[in-house]
Amino acid sequence: MKEQRMAGWRDYSVTLAIMAINIVGYILCTQMGEVVYNVGSMNAEKVLVDKQYYRLVTAIFLHADIEHIVSNMIYLVGLGQMVEQMIGHVRFAILYLLSGIGASVFSMLYSVLTGDIYDAVGASGAIFGLIGALFILLIVRDMKRRARKRRSEADIMPDQTDVLDENGRVVPSGYESISLRNMVFVVIYMIYSGARAERVDNAAHVGGLICGLLLMAVMNLIKAGGYKG
């Protein structure tokens, strides 16, 4: 039996490192003004014509103002510490970075298709990737719960709750209690609000969400060799 222990900050150290990078990026923006935005923002023309592909990454670590970064960092810490603990540091870092890049690509494609070339910054696309990943984790969690319930009813094994993750740590209370149905409602509301708001790159949000869903599904299949109830 694995030794049970409470999670500490080291269990979501990548989340904290990403937050620190975002804060440093914002400080540079405040000190250097438009220089940083001109060099690092997501801009379809500069990516495709000038081949400045690095912008797909740098844009996800820059923010427009204090409200922008504060709201994103709250979401990052709330979701990041939960997802990182459940999937581990390396997979979390890969998930976050690729979701952010995917969000930038979706933003770029939307910009090209609509003919509206704009500059975009922010971590929200990558954060939506974490939401997509959490969807998959919750689906797998609920499938396992139903499988355990069936085995318990058949007296094969006693029923139990998800109190420990695979590394013997107590799972975050939010992960244990969060409802998949509520998650669906929240995401629909967030995308709807983003579509109606000005200066919100909703294409990046949708792109990050899709990338997070796909990446977590692939990661889960690779690790588990397919779901086994």
Side-chain angles (χ1 to χ4, degrees):
M1 183 177 178
K2 296 176 181 176
E3 181 182 356
Q4 177 175 337
R5 70 179 181 83
M6 297 299 293
W9 68 267
R10 291 182 179 84
D11 295 308
Y12 47 94
S13 56
V14 174
T15 296
L16 296 178
I18 292 172
M19 182 175 68
I21 294 172
N22 277 278
I23 293 173
V24 170
Y26 181 68
I27 292 174
L28 289 175
C29 291
T30 60
Q31 297 301 311
M32 301 177 68
E34 294 299 317
V35 174
V36 178
Y37 294 122
N38 290 338
V39 172
S41 65
M42 178 61 225
N43 182 286
E45 182 177 358
K46 292 176 181 177
V47 172
L48 297 175
V49 177
D50 298 335
K51 302 187 187 306
Q52 297 177 1
Y53 303 117
Y54 67 87
R55 290 175 179 269
L56 298 173
V57 177
T58 56
I60 68 178
F61 294 103
L62 302 177
H63 289 82
D65 52 44
I66 188 65
E67 182 181 356
H68 191 200
I69 188 171
V70 168
S71 60
N72 275 347
M73 293 306 97
I74 290 174
Y75 282 117
L76 172 61
V77 173
L79 290 164
Q81 60 88 19
M82 190 186 308
V83 175
E84 183 176 353
Q85 183 179 332
M86 299 312 300
I87 69 176
H89 306 308
V90 175
R91 291 203 296 166
F92 178 82
I94 293 172
L95 170 71
Y96 187 88
L97 185 59
L98 292 185
S99 293
I101 293 173
S104 294
V105 171
F106 267 73
S107 175
M108 179 178 63
L109 292 176
Y110 177 81
S111 179
V112 171
L113 290 174
T114 60
D116 180 16
I117 305 301
Y118 53 83
D119 291 288
V121 294
S124 54
I127 292 170
F128 265 84
L130 301 184
I131 295 175
L134 185 57
F135 259 111
I136 299 299
L137 291 173
L138 294 179
I139 290 171
V140 173
R141 180 203 67 184
D142 290 350
M143 291 173 68
K144 289 181 178 179
R145 284 178 174 176
R146 287 193 293 269
R148 282 202 304 268
K149 183 177 180 181
R150 289 195 300 269
R151 288 195 292 265
S152 176
E153 290 173 348
D155 293 327
I156 298 176
M157 63 176 291
D159 192 15
Q160 56 183 340
T161 58
D162 301 322
V163 293
L164 301 180
D165 70 7
E166 61 187 17
N167 294 314
R169 295 181 295 253
V170 177
V171 301
S173 58
Y175 174 80
E176 174 64 27
S177 61
I178 192 169
S179 164
L180 186 59
R181 180 181 301 175
N182 290 341
M183 277 285 293
V184 171
F185 174 79
V186 169
V187 172
I188 291 175
Y189 175 76
M190 291 175 70
I191 293 177
Y192 172 76
S193 299
R196 294 179 59 85
E198 296 182 1
R199 299 180 59 199
V200 173
D201 191 357
N202 214 37
H205 294 174
V206 175
L209 178 67
I210 293 173
C211 289
L213 286 166
L214 295 176
L215 286 166
M216 194 66 253
V218 171
M219 287 180 179
N220 186 71
L221 288 174
I222 290 175
K223 182 163 186 173
Y227 175 74
K228 297 178 181 179

